[in-house]
Amino acid sequence: MLKCREIHSLGDAYVDGCLPWRTRVSLRLHILMCVHCRRYLSQLAALLRAFRHVHPPASADEVDAVMARLREVPEGADETNL
């Protein structure tokens, strides 16, 4: 049977569905008995789902537009009204 340390290192592959069937069965047996690893894998899956909703990196045009806007703000001005 797998140990908790092994579950931690296999977590990404398990959540992605990339484990061989024997390893997957062994991992499932472990998480049936170990609440800590079960919680870890649940939180890992939730985190990976949340990453799908993260805004993609800004394009060069977006960065240039923001930088140009920042250059327009006079020093010491109230920036809350931008």
Side-chain angles (χ1 to χ4, degrees), residues 5-74:
R5 221 174 252 160
E6 295 168 307
I7 301 298
H8 186 271
S9 65
L10 295 172
D12 288 335
Y14 175 72
V15 171
D16 291 339
C18 298
L19 288 178
W21 71 272
R22 284 185 184 187
T23 307
R24 189 171 55 248
V25 169
S26 185
L27 188 142
R28 286 184 181 177
L29 286 172
H30 179 92
I31 64 173
L32 282 173
M33 296 181 286
C34 182
V35 66
H36 303 293
C37 290
R38 191 167 48 248
R39 186 179 309 132
Y40 167 74
L41 290 175
S42 173
Q43 291 173 348
L44 180 62
L47 181 64
L48 292 175
R49 281 191 306 272
F51 279 148
R52 293 184 203 137
H53 303 289
V54 173
H55 187 277
S59 69
D61 293 335
E62 290 172 320
V63 171
D64 291 340
V66 169
M67 294 305 293
R69 181 75 172 128
L70 288 173
R71 286 186 199 102
E72 293 172 4
V73 176

